[in-house]
Amino acid sequence: PLDGSFENTTKAIHALFEAGVITFIAGAHPSRIRMLVPGGVIEDQEIDEVMEIIKSTLQKVAADVSH
């Protein structure tokens, strides 16, 4: 469902932002989601938390675009 189209990638980054994760679009055909990790100040636990947010958010977006 997340096919790399600009439209679906935009939906995903907006949903991630609403969930508290700042990302941006990179590339075209396919569009990709990128982020800048604050190196040196982020802890392993925070990475795990963000990964869970990303996983659940992208699953929700994928379910929404497949309907």
Side-chain angles (χ1 to χ4, degrees):
L2 296 176
D3 57 4
S5 68
F6 183 79
E7 178 184 357
N8 287 339
T9 304
T10 300
K11 289 178 184 178
I13 65 164
H14 287 197
L16 286 165
F17 184 79
E18 289 179 17
V21 180
I22 298 172
T23 60
F24 57 95
I25 294 177
H29 312 296
S31 295
R32 299 165 189 86
I33 297 173
R34 299 222 24 214
M35 62 194 74
L36 299 173
V37 178
V41 297
I42 193 166
E43 309 245 341
D44 289 345
Q45 177 186 351
E46 294 168 317
I47 292 171
D48 294 341
E49 291 171 11
V50 169
M51 292 306 298
E52 283 300 316
I53 293 169
I54 291 170
K55 179 181 174 181
S56 65
T57 302
L58 292 181
Q59 287 173 337
K60 289 176 189 174
V61 171
D64 287 345
V65 300
S66 66
H67 292 142

